[in-house]
């Protein structure tokens, strides 16, 4: 019997294994994929945003309402601790103008290689192509290249990921083994479907800049992208939870001008100039914003200023779950104690994106996976020590 088995080799699982092995315990990691950290590596392709360097209160507020115990877990391994940890793995970091923290190497692979070397030095055993297939009594059943394997451990950490990006390992199939405690997955940090008219095809792939986006009580100045399938990008992702829950998306095409200023600009004489050219001249609207105004504003009302300041962006709902950056849903927080242990299965701890919480992009998701993995790993080690 091993002390602890960790199922899932993303950031949460690797962190759980690290802190447990540091306590001198025997640790096995099992992952269904041929190699570890696949979604982590994909996140680093455009620059590995490890965390957000900001004070504790705004950092925690970004996660929305959470139980006090989970807030404490996130606070105990927040941005400062994540940065310190990454530097112990030889990663030199820098902080961008928006507070986002990246390794100078930008990619995830150097950090992951150093991390795996640390785990190996701690004596952690890693099995790839081991897919968890549920329980066999108190033991864990795995389907492996060598046939079924049954493993017994004193404590178990489940870090199985969410339900998006199935090709990278986060396929959500584990929910069949924990049906009583799971809330169905929903997409998070995702794009939305828009059935564009033909005149928008020339703008596919274009960024929408110098706008303000709002949904419900949330507002952001982030950019978004027009794609053939709809609208996506950081500005949309920041509002995606509110939009998924039914809040309409509204775009201010001239956020640096008041409604009165827009009205005054539109009232300037335009002579024989077309309305489109007049809008371009007096409000400096670029072709993309003009196209959006035509797409969602036609036929134009007599008073165009309110529409420019609050253009409704009609969409047909979120893109499919497997295209989402992350997921909401998963193991309900009320099914866990303060140490992230399942009430119904003593000695089984849960961590990472498989928990029913939601983080925005910008470093929050990875940081929270590390923090919950750390909490679960420490708690599992404490559980073993008491046995």
């Amino acid at each position: 019997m091993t002390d602890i088995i960790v199922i899932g080799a993303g950031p949460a699982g690797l962190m759980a294994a690290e802190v447990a092995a540091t306590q001198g315990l025997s640790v096995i990691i099992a992952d269904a994929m041929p190699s570890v950290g696949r979604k982590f590596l994909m996140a680093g392709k455009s620059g590995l945003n490890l965390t957000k360097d900001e004070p504790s209160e705004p950092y925690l507020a970004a996660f929305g309402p959470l139980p006090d115990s989970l807030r404490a877990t996130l606070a105990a391994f927040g941005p400062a601790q994540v940065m310190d940890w990454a530097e112990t793995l030889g990663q030199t970091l820098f902080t961008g103008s928006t507070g986002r923290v990246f390794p100078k190497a930008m990619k995830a692979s150097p950090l992951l290689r150093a991390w795996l070397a640390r785990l190996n030095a701690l004596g952690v055993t890693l099995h790839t192509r081991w897919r968890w297939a549920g329980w066999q009594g108190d033991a864990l059943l795995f389907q492996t290249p060598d046939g079924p394997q049954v493993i017994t451990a004193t404590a178990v950490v489940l870090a199985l990921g969410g339900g998006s990006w199935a090709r990278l390992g986060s396929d959500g199939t584990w929910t069949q083994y924990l049906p009583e405690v799971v809330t169905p997955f929903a997409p998070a940090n995702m794009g939305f479907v828009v059935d564009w008219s033909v005149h928008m095809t020339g703008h596919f792939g274009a960024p929408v800049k110098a706008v303000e986006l709002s949904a419900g009580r949330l507002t952001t100045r982030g950019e978004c992208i027009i794609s053939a399938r709809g609208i996506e990008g950081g500005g949309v992702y920041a509002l995606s939870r509110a939009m998924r829950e039914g809040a309409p998306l509204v775009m201010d095409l001239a956020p640096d001008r008041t409604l009165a200023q827009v009205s005054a600009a539109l009232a300037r004489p335009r002579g024989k100039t077309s309305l489109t050219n007049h809008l371009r001249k007096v409000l400096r609207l670029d072709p993309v914003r003009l196209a959006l105004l035509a797409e969602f504003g036609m036929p134009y009302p007599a008073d165009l200023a309110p529409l420019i300041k609050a253009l409704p962006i009609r969409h047909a709902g979120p893109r499919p779950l497997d295209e989402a950056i992350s997921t909401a849903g998963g193991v309900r927080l009320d099914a866990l104690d303060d140490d992230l242990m399942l009430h119904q299965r003593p000695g089984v701890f849960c961590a990472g994106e498989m928990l029913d919480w939601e983080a925005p992009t910008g470093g929050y998701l990875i940081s929270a996976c590390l923090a919950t993995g750390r909490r679960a790993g420490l708690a599992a080690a404490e559980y073993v020590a008491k046995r």
Side-chain angles (χ1 to χ4, degrees):
M1 176 186 290
T2 192
D3 290 324
I4 296 173
I5 185 163
V6 177
I7 307 178
L14 296 178
M15 179 58 79
E18 178 183 340
V19 297
T22 302
Q23 306 300 309
L25 301 176
S26 59
V27 179
I28 292 174
I29 301 173
D31 193 89
M33 301 302 286
S35 58
V36 306
R38 290 194 164 197
K39 192 172 179 182
F40 184 63
L41 290 170
M42 179 62 76
K45 282 201 168 183
S46 56
L48 181 64
N49 184 189
L50 273 175
T51 192
K52 182 73 176 291
D53 189 5
E54 62 185 355
S56 180
E57 281 310 308
Y59 172 77
L60 294 173
F63 294 90
L66 292 173
D68 290 343
S69 59
L70 186 52
R71 282 177 60 88
T73 291
L74 299 182
F77 201 75
Q81 291 77 21
V82 170
M83 289 187 282
D84 288 345
W85 167 81
E87 287 173 348
T88 68
L89 289 171
Q91 304 304 299
T92 303
L93 308 177
F94 74 93
T95 302
S97 59
T98 60
R100 297 185 177 195
V101 178
F102 301 85
K104 283 195 173 178
M106 291 301 286
K107 297 180 180 180
S109 51
L111 186 153
L112 183 59
R113 283 195 299 270
W115 200 358
L116 292 175
R118 173 181 289 178
L119 292 171
N120 183 62
L122 288 168
V124 174
T125 299
L126 173 63
H127 294 299
T128 55
R129 301 182 191 271
W130 275 41
R131 178 172 291 276
W132 183 43
W135 314 93
Q136 188 166 302
D138 291 331
L140 296 147
L141 176 63
F142 294 90
Q143 299 299 333
T144 81
D146 298 319
Q149 300 288 331
V150 178
I151 299 290
T152 303
T154 305
V156 178
V157 176
L158 302 178
L160 292 155
S164 64
W165 295 44
R167 66 188 178 88
L168 300 179
S170 295
D171 57 14
T173 57
W174 57 266
T175 57
Q176 63 188 298
Y177 306 120
L178 297 169
E180 303 88 354
V181 299
V182 170
T183 297
F185 285 122
N189 296 305
M190 66 292 189
F192 286 75
V193 177
V194 179
D195 296 321
W196 301 110
S197 62
V198 174
H199 94 278
M200 290 296 296
T201 57
H203 300 286
F204 291 167
V208 184
K209 300 181 178 182
V211 297
E212 187 173 86
L213 298 166
S214 300
R217 298 180 180 180
L218 301 177
T219 299
T220 179
R221 291 289 290 264
E223 293 183 8
C224 56
I225 302 291
I226 294 172
S227 76
R229 300 178 298 178
I231 189 166
E232 54 194 81
V236 173
Y237 301 156
L239 306 176
S240 60
R241 181 174 187 170
M243 292 170 64
R244 186 186 69 224
E245 293 172 353
L249 176 63
V250 177
M251 184 178 292
D252 184 345
L253 301 177
D256 296 321
R257 299 178 189 237
T258 66
L259 177 61
Q261 289 171 332
V262 172
S263 294
L266 292 175
R268 295 175 192 171
R270 64 183 176 99
K272 296 182 180 180
T273 302
S274 69
L275 177 58
T276 297
N277 285 332
H278 186 59
L279 291 169
R280 182 182 294 115
K281 180 178 180 180
V282 300
L283 292 177
R284 298 181 181 177
L285 297 184
D286 57 31
V288 175
R289 285 181 288 170
L290 287 169
L292 288 170
L293 182 62
E295 180 76 3
F296 297 110
M298 287 284 196
Y300 290 143
D303 184 1
L304 193 53
L307 192 65
I308 290 171
K309 290 295 292 177
L311 179 68
I313 306 297
R314 297 183 295 275
H315 61 81
R319 294 294 307 165
L321 178 65
D322 196 48
E323 296 179 13
I325 292 176
S326 58
T327 48
V331 175
R332 298 194 318 273
L333 299 180
D334 64 6
L336 302 166
D337 69 10
D338 291 350
D339 286 328
L340 303 179
M341 185 173 73
L342 285 168
H343 294 301
Q344 71 172 33
R345 280 193 174 269
V348 178
F349 302 81
C350 300
E353 199 182 334
M354 70 180 294
L355 302 180
D356 185 13
W357 52 272
E358 191 168 346
T361 57
Y364 299 100
L365 183 62
I366 290 178
S367 285
C369 285
L370 293 170
T372 56
R374 176 179 177 272
R375 175 67 263 171
L378 289 172
E382 293 169 3
Y383 184 87
V384 172
K386 293 176 182 177
R387 291 300 179 271

